[in-house]
Amino acid sequence: MATSLKLSEELKSKVQHLATLKNRTAHGVMCEAICNYIEKETVQENFKQEALKAWENYQETGLHLISKEVQDWLSSWGNR
């Protein structure tokens, strides 16, 4: 799948400058940047979806833990 990007001259210059500093191609720098962005955004979106599911579950069941309960539970690890 061929894809093209239209970059401003300023951004092209920045990419090329970084590529030169890192002794890499501009293409390699852009691919790495896109991969890093996709990974970061995927983690954030997964976290958001988990939080929404937890909120929906709480709204349906009313079940929850307060901070003190969580701290007590964590403190008990390995003590039994």
Side-chain angles (χ1 to χ4, degrees), residues 4 9 12 14 18 22 35 38 40 46 51 53-54 61 68 73-75 80:
S4 63
E9 290 303 317
K12 284 184 202 177
K14 288 179 179 182
L18 183 60
K22 296 176 79 67
C35 286
I38 296 297
K40 181 184 105 195
N46 289 341
K53 285 179 189 174
T61 67
K68 175 80 169 108
W73 176 68
L74 288 173
S75 296
R80 295 183 181 167

Side-chain angles (χ1 to χ4, degrees), residues 1-56:
M1 171 178 81
T3 303
S4 63
L5 297 171
K6 292 185 180 184
L7 305 176
S8 67
E9 290 303 317
E10 180 184 5
L11 186 54
K12 284 184 202 177
S13 178
K14 288 179 179 182
V15 169
Q16 188 56 57
H17 178 70
L18 183 60
T20 300
L21 290 174
K22 296 176 79 67
N23 197 29
R24 298 186 54 200
T25 64
H27 178 267
V29 168
M30 289 186 287
C31 285
E32 183 179 356
I34 291 169
C35 286
N36 289 340
Y37 174 81
I38 296 297
E39 184 176 325
K40 181 184 105 195
E41 290 297 316
T42 299
V43 167
Q44 287 182 346
E45 187 59 33
N46 289 341
F47 179 79
K48 177 182 163 186
Q49 293 304 316
E50 264 187 62
L52 289 173
K53 285 179 189 174
W55 175 245
E56 289 170 4

